[in-house]
Amino acid sequence: MELTQKQQAIIIGSVLGDGGIYFANNSPRAYYTVKQSLRYSEYVEWLFGQLKNLCPSEIKQRRDNGQKYFYTSPSENFTRLQKLFYQNRIKKVPENIEEILISPLSLAVWFMDDGTLDYRPKDHCAFHLCTNCFTKDDTQRLIETLKRNFGVESSMHYTLCRGKRHARIYIGSKGREKFIKLVTPFILDCFKYKLPQFRYPSET
């Protein structure tokens, strides 16, 4: 079964964030899976609702930490995407990311997964997209794609994580209004705290 354009947009955004595509045991075909804490049950349920026709079972919950998760059936669709987004089992940004990261929905899913709001009332408003699992070159490729495909200006900042410096994407004054306009229509209620107009409505 082929992915719809909407399903592909969701999966692309998710894989840039917390989603994963892996090969099933003893299978040449890959599957997609995602897991989230109980706090983001709404998000898991939404993702599952969009991909339900691709899944062999309902949402499951881990007993040890309460995380909710689901997975799809293996298919050639996911095998193709796995080969784009992984090299030696390590997640990467495809060289043709400009051709596939084209939907604001992908951008919103990526932001819900790995985005943060940096806000100080009447003083500062910016966003970060965490790219800890990607290389500096991968992150630069994403920055260029944000500009060319969405008109969103961004830059590369660095943060310390577990004693290592990692690149992340910073969306400041030059790109934030465009970014907010693109992603807001898709942001679920459980993630609206990442948007200033919902978290600080009196300031907008």
Side-chain angles (χ1 to χ4, degrees):
M1 182 178 295
E2 289 296 317
L3 300 175
T4 66
Q5 287 185 343
K6 184 177 184 180
Q7 287 174 331
Q8 179 152 311
I10 289 169
I11 291 165
I12 288 167
S14 178
V15 174
L16 286 171
D18 295 332
I21 303 178
Y22 308 103
F23 283 102
N25 291 335
N26 302 316
S27 172
R29 296 183 297 171
Y31 66 95
Y32 162 85
T33 186
V34 68
K35 59 184 176 182
Q36 289 282 346
S37 67
L38 201 57
R39 176 185 180 184
Y40 302 118
S41 294
E42 178 191 8
Y43 181 51
V44 177
E45 291 164 4
W46 176 78
L47 286 171
F48 179 77
Q50 302 300 316
L51 305 174
K52 187 174 182 179
N53 67 309
L54 307 171
C55 301
S57 59
E58 298 294 315
I59 295 171
K60 300 181 183 297
Q61 187 170 6
R62 292 183 56 169
R63 293 182 179 179
D64 55 349
N65 57 17
Q67 284 183 328
K68 288 193 170 183
Y69 69 97
F70 69 89
Y71 49 85
T72 68
S73 298
S75 76
E76 292 300 324
N77 297 307
F78 297 115
T79 302
R80 288 193 294 269
L81 288 171
Q82 203 279 344
K83 291 178 179 178
L84 281 176
F85 279 95
Y86 290 81
Q87 186 173 35
N88 297 323
R89 299 184 180 181
I90 297 174
K91 194 180 285 189
K92 65 173 184 175
V93 174
E95 292 185 3
N96 68 334
I97 190 65
E98 287 186 20
E99 298 174 15
I100 58 178
L101 180 57
I102 57 177
S103 169
L105 177 57
S106 297
L107 195 58
V109 172
W110 180 21
F111 177 62
M112 287 191 283
D113 268 21
D114 270 349
T116 60
L117 169 67
D118 181 4
Y119 187 89
R120 293 184 290 278
K122 299 180 181 180
D123 178 55
H124 182 77
C125 177
F127 300 96
H128 291 109
L129 290 167
C130 298
T131 53
N132 291 8
C133 66
F134 298 127
T135 66
K136 179 181 176 181
D137 288 343
D138 282 344
T139 302
Q140 184 60 41
R141 193 175 295 125
L142 288 168
I143 288 170
E144 293 168 1
T145 298
L146 287 175
K147 173 61 177 175
R148 291 175 184 171
N149 288 0
F150 302 103
V152 173
E153 295 271 4
S154 61
S155 59
M156 192 180 308
H157 281 198
Y158 291 90
T159 183
L160 280 175
C161 181
R162 298 175 183 175
K164 294 183 179 180
R165 269 180 103 231
H166 296 276
R168 65 178 176 176
I169 296 172
Y170 175 84
I171 303 172
S173 59
K174 292 182 179 180
R176 67 188 179 210
E177 296 304 321
K178 182 71 172 180
F179 182 75
I180 290 171
K181 184 177 180 180
L182 286 166
V183 303
T184 295
F186 305 103
I187 302 299
L188 300 178
D189 287 345
C190 63
F191 287 111
K192 283 186 176 176
Y193 69 90
K194 295 186 177 187
L195 296 173
Q197 65 265 44
F198 290 98
R199 190 170 181 178
Y200 304 98
S202 63
E203 300 295 335
T204 57

